[in-house]
Amino acid sequence: MEHSRMLAVRETETNYLPCFEVTYAASFDEAKKMIIEAEANHAPFDQLDLPVYDSDEFWEFIEWMESTERYYPFSIYGTNNPFVFTKIRNEARRRGFSFLD
């Protein structure tokens, strides 16, 4: 069975479903470097899992992806507020990203 390659931006590792081959980045800056390196090695990630604790940092990363035409599908964590979740999902989709619910 082929695994989906995921890049998770997290300070600590966590459990993901076994169908994912997960690589962890400790920050958005590290994630940028890892994305560029994976692409250079012809092994881009299939999706990302991103924190939304720091809204400014999150949107800066999304803007970087958008400006470099890296439209990776992503999911988020770090909010239990359904209004915040919906706002982020709708804005991501409006910008052309696949938002994984």
Side-chain angles (χ1 to χ4, degrees):
M1 178 168 87
E2 188 173 321
H3 290 90
S4 181
R5 290 179 30 89
M6 177 190 291
L7 176 62
V9 180
R10 297 185 162 270
E11 293 180 9
T12 58
E13 292 186 13
T14 189
N15 293 323
Y16 285 92
L17 294 173
C19 61
F20 293 109
E21 177 187 323
V22 183
T23 301
Y24 295 93
S27 67
F28 282 115
D29 285 338
E30 185 178 19
K32 289 176 187 178
K33 292 174 188 171
M34 293 172 89
I35 288 169
I36 292 168
E37 183 179 324
E39 292 170 349
N41 291 326
H42 306 288
F45 295 100
D46 298 311
Q47 67 185 72
L48 312 175
D49 190 28
L50 307 174
V52 294
Y53 300 121
D54 183 329
S55 180
D56 291 339
E57 192 175 44
F58 169 79
W59 286 112
E60 181 182 302
F61 182 76
I62 296 299
E63 288 167 6
W64 172 79
M65 287 202 307
E66 189 175 32
S67 70
T68 59
E69 298 184 1
R70 290 179 165 95
Y71 288 90
Y72 285 92
F74 68 89
S75 56
I76 63 169
Y77 68 93
T79 183
N80 290 328
N81 184 324
F83 298 107
V84 170
F85 180 89
T86 300
K87 182 178 177 183
I88 292 170
R89 182 195 64 204
N90 291 347
E91 179 61 16
R93 287 181 175 163
R94 185 190 71 75
R95 291 177 179 223
F97 288 93
S98 293
F99 185 91
L100 308 170
D101 290 323

